[in-house]
Amino acid sequence: MSSTPPHSPQPPEPGTSARRTKPREVLRQINYPHGVHPALVPGLAVEDQKLRYGTDKVVFLVTAALIVAFIAWGVLSTESLTVASTAALGWVTGNAGWFFTGLSTAAVLFMLVVGFSRTGRIPLGMDDEKPEYSFFSWLAMLFAAGMGIGLMFYGASEPLSHFGAGVPGFGADPGSEEMTVYALVQTAFHWGLNPWAMYAVVGAAVAYGAYRRGRPPLISRIFVPLIGQRRAEGGLGRLIDVFAIFATLFGTAASLGIGALQIARGLELVAGWGPLGNGGLIVVIAVLTAAFVVSAVSGVARGIRYLSSTNLLLAFLLALFVFVAGPTVLILDLVPAVFSTYLQEYLWMTGQTGGWGEDSTAFAGGWTVFYWAWWLSWSPFVGMFIAKISRGRTLRQFVTVVLVVPSSMCVLWFVVIGGTSMYLQRTGTDLAAAGGQEAALFGMLDALPFGAITSVLAMLIIAIFFVTSADSASIVMGTLSQQGRPEPTRAIVVFWGLCLGGIAAVMMLVGGDDALTGMQNLVTVSALPFAVIVAFLMVSFYKDLSSDPATIRHEFAVTAVRKAVIHGIEEHGDDFALQVEHAPGARAAGETFDSHHPDVTDWYRRVDENGEELDLSAETGSHADGSPADGSHREEAHPDRAPDAAHLDPDEEHALDPTVRRP
């Protein structure tokens, strides 16, 4: 377990023994924090800590100044920003494309190791803590996390693009029936396991730190095992949070931008308006941003949640309509074909890089690398949401469900929407000529019955996703800039929402006639610093798991049983049984484990708002000042604002097992 030198505990007072003295008294005599051995700590939730939340002026002011400067640059000198972003994109895709691909694959492997090795039994919460939400409610909210503007925009356009242009290396002719399957398989690769593994890395690390280690839900605090508490709270930690906010801003702004593109195109096609141009797109962004600001200022959080839930139902009904009105039998045939081929070709698609030639280089740069960068940008946003709803789950449950359920739902969406669009294209409806990727969805809906109604419904869904995504992302950025505060102040939330709208508008200007390209360029470039952070985050998270109380207990169990069996056979042959007794020296289960090392004890020392250690009674579970240790001194122990998700009734929140003793 630990390679640190063994530390001999202080012996009990004369006249006592481990057998005749209560275990908790023995631990006090050995002088562990709060009288609790590090292997027996049941966990420490963030609301059990007395934390003082407030705006981190360094994080907020530095990030705000850079973002405002960037927006001003885009408005005042669009051409120079376009040149700079294009050059930066060329460097990133040419020199770091392999890194994005490797990182996304490493995230999948890392989460599989975390979930299905000995760490999989570790809970994202206290020992024996029950999940905060029922299993089916948890599934519903994970599905909600997978829905958004991106699926509406790319649902028809990406498979249709691959179908018409072909995918390098698949060996199927563009426009053929065989390419229908391969187009969906390539799309599934972009929207399946890899993105959800990246979300899961951040989500699991945040949830573990907050609900198991008692740390604020900040990206920087995940790095405590790697860089130490002082650096995580200091300049280096603040820099990490700044990059996390940057990634969230640009990733979410790209989603808002493509939403505005699609709404504008829908207005042109459905209402018969002429080309809106970038000016019209910016007006659409301004109107939707104003709607978000109104919702944030008015404090209609519950209304936003209900609106989000309703929107998910509308998106489901739209997909169901397309399934029934479209080529139903073909869609049913495509489901097993796409899922099985996706698993079969996964490793090949992972290696689809510039090493295969110029065609693969161009394809990876235009599609795959952009997607990996986009998902990394979204990982603080979606990851913190997943962390909030997964409290009480074990890592094995977390990995199994988070990797499988939402990614499967995304693939099914593409099979229904994308399969229908390619069927129409193959049977004579030229959706490719409808006017860009943003028009593909409306072209498909127009070819089905009730096209005008479903097109209006699609625009409504996109508009609601815009508002709820901006609301939720702004809350996450507010949390990151206010030292982990669960409910950031409205002024901070509104400011970040306005920044989202401003960056989305700048992305339109940078793209010029091809606004989508401008967004892709900026997202890919801005995600590189956070990609480096995620790489080290996995190292720090695994180091944290290696010193978890459950891990320590497992190591003790393995060592104790091994030594006891050897000793029993040597002394008694076949006739022996195991029992616990005091056994110092070579027979001790913890012979090579230093149970006093700061790495395994410092984290569960209770402190007040000023960082002073509290005297906690292990028997009563109360602080010396009389305040309870269950988080009831906080106004809201479990704030339930979450992005694009249906929220449950507060009565469904869990109640901790009263028999669990907190350190």
Side-chain angles (χ1 to χ4, degrees), residues 513-535:
D513 294 333
D514 189 357
L516 183 61
T517 298
M519 287 183 286
Q520 290 177 334
N521 291 359
L522 291 173
V523 167
T524 304
V525 173
S526 64
L528 183 58
F530 193 69
V532 176
I533 289 174
V534 170

Side-chain angles (χ1 to χ4, degrees), residues 118-303:
R118 65 185 181 184
T119 59
R121 77 194 70 173
I122 297 175
L124 298 175
M126 305 281 286
D127 285 348
D128 301 322
E129 180 176 350
K130 297 185 183 301
E132 200 163 1
Y133 300 105
S134 70
F135 184 74
F136 289 105
S137 298
W138 185 41
L139 290 183
M141 288 187 285
L142 285 173
F143 171 72
M147 291 297 297
I149 293 174
L151 289 182
M152 296 295 294
F153 186 89
Y154 287 104
S157 64
E158 182 178 350
L160 195 61
S161 177
H162 299 330
F163 176 76
V167 178
F170 268 133
D173 294 331
S176 65
E177 292 185 7
E178 189 178 11
M179 184 52 71
T180 301
V181 175
Y182 284 133
L184 289 171
V185 167
Q186 184 65 49
T187 304
F189 179 65
H190 292 152
W191 292 78
L193 286 175
N194 289 49
W196 286 99
M198 287 185 268
Y199 298 158
V201 165
V202 177
V206 170
Y208 177 82
Y211 308 133
R212 183 76 172 165
R213 295 278 189 167
R215 301 181 188 127
L218 294 169
I219 304 299
S220 58
R221 297 306 189 269
I222 301 172
F223 287 83
V224 168
L226 199 61
I227 62 177
Q229 186 78 25
R230 181 174 298 179
R231 289 190 179 92
E233 295 178 353
L236 184 55
R238 288 187 170 100
L239 183 63
I240 291 171
D241 289 331
V242 166
F243 280 126
I245 295 174
F246 260 102
T248 303
L249 271 170
F250 280 91
T252 309
S255 296
L256 304 186
I258 65 174
L261 275 173
Q262 204 166 23
I263 290 174
R265 179 51 106 180
L267 291 173
E268 293 173 5
L269 297 175
V270 176
W273 295 0
L276 295 180
N278 280 343
L281 292 173
I282 292 174
V283 170
V284 172
I285 292 174
V287 170
L288 294 175
T289 302
F292 150 72
V293 170
V294 170
S295 73
V297 172
S298 62
V300 289
R302 188 170 295 274

